[in-house]
């Protein structure tokens, strides 16, 4: 008979993380479709029944992985808020760390598998798009903090989208060109971000 005894919140959280870590490893190796619940259970050292006790299906596991990524992003934004330096300089100072994180092959493999599944699975697409909406709002808030209140919503949304393009694009570049010179890229990216964060309003920008 399966163990149905109550589990403490701390133990439940640890068990959920154990399952998520195993699921991430399986998805990296075999893709979303290739990572069955049985294989995830085996990788976690648990029974399939124990997996279903915490996650009703693989989409729920994806949702938890995405939520974990968003939680890390919120923590990073909280660090920005508490720093003593000018806000935009704090963000720019994180470029090297962001490059290392997004060029990491394990992270890149996982992100690309989730995005590939989102392209064909409406339920996963909804999870990814909801998370992206939150991410864009965080970016808009960051930009509003840096640029002030005199920028229109259209401009803030556009700059936020460009910010996402820059950082999300690192994942594919990490796969396509993993041996690129990150130190040189960091210098260029810092200059690009400084322009994004300090450039004139769109209606005052010089035309091409």
């Amino acid at each position: 008979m399966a163990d149905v005894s109550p589990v403490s919140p701390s133990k439940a959280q640890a068990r959920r993380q154990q399952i998520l870590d195993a699921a991430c490893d399986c998805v990296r190796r075999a893709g979303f479709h290739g990572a069955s619940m049985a294989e995830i259970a085996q990788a976690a050292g648990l029974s399939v029944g124990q997996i279903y006790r915490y996650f009703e299906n693989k989409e729920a596991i994806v949702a938890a992985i995405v939520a974990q990524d968003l939680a890390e992003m919120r923590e990073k934004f909280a660090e920005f808020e508490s720093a003593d330096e000018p806000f935009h300089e704090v963000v720019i100072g994180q470029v090297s760390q962001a490059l290392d994180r997004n060029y990491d092959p394990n992270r890149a493999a996982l992100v690309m598998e989730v995005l590939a599944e989102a392209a064909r699975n409406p339920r996963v697409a909804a999870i990814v798009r909801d998370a992206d909406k939150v991410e864009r709002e965080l970016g808009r808030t960051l930009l509003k903090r840096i640029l002030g209140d005199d920028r229109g919503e259209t401009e803030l949304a556009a700059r936020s989208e460009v910010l996402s393009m820059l950082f999300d694009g690192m994942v594919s570049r990490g796969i396509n060109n993993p041996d690129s010179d990150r130190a040189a890229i960091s210098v260029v990216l810092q200059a690009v971000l400084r322009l994004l964060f300090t450039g004139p309003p769109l209606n005052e920008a010089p035309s091409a």
Side-chain angles (χ1 to χ4, degrees):
M1 179 179 294
D3 180 13
V4 294
S5 58
V7 178
S8 68
S10 60
K11 186 174 181 179
Q13 181 58 38
R15 183 58 54 84
R16 281 175 60 87
Q17 192 61 53
Q18 178 184 351
I19 294 168
L20 288 179
D21 290 343
C24 288
D25 287 342
C26 289
V27 170
R28 290 187 193 103
R29 286 197 310 269
F32 189 87
H33 284 286
S36 68
M37 293 297 261
E39 288 169 327
I40 293 170
Q42 183 177 19
L46 303 170
S47 69
V48 174
Q50 286 174 301
I51 300 291
Y52 280 113
R53 182 174 181 178
Y54 294 92
F55 298 99
E56 61 179 345
N57 50 40
K58 282 197 288 185
E59 284 84 1
I61 291 176
V62 171
I65 292 170
V66 172
Q68 188 170 261
D69 205 49
L70 279 175
E72 291 175 4
M73 184 180 295
R74 286 195 176 97
E75 286 179 10
K76 183 59 64 177
F77 274 63
E79 289 178 22
F80 296 161
E81 291 281 355
S82 62
D84 295 329
E85 300 175 67
F87 197 60
H88 70 282
E89 292 296 343
V90 176
V91 178
I92 291 170
Q94 295 292 314
V95 163
S96 293
Q97 183 178 333
L99 282 165
D100 288 342
R101 180 172 185 264
N102 287 300
Y103 269 66
D104 178 75
N106 288 328
R107 172 174 166 75
L110 181 62
V111 170
M112 297 303 285
E113 285 294 344
V114 170
L115 290 176
E117 184 61 23
R120 56 181 172 253
N121 183 329
R123 289 177 294 182
V124 175
I127 292 167
V128 169
R129 288 169 186 168
D130 285 345
D132 187 74
K133 184 178 179 180
V134 175
E135 181 181 331
R136 283 185 279 114
E137 181 58 27
L138 286 171
R140 193 195 70 82
T141 301
L142 180 151
L143 286 164
K144 192 168 186 177
R145 166 77 181 270
I146 292 171
L147 295 168
D149 296 326
D150 60 340
R151 306 299 176 102
E153 290 301 318
T154 299
E155 177 179 350
L156 288 173
R159 289 182 187 260
S160 177
E161 187 68 18
V162 170
L163 193 62
S164 294
M165 289 165 62
L166 289 170
F167 285 90
D168 291 349
M170 292 179 191
V171 174
S172 62
R173 298 311 304 160
I175 293 174
N176 292 340
N177 190 17
D179 298 323
S180 56
D181 187 340
R182 292 188 209 172
I185 293 170
S186 177
V187 172
V188 174
L189 183 54
Q190 287 182 47
V192 171
L193 288 176
R194 191 163 280 111
L195 178 62
L196 185 67
F197 292 157
T198 62
L202 289 180
N203 58 0
E204 296 180 13
S207 58

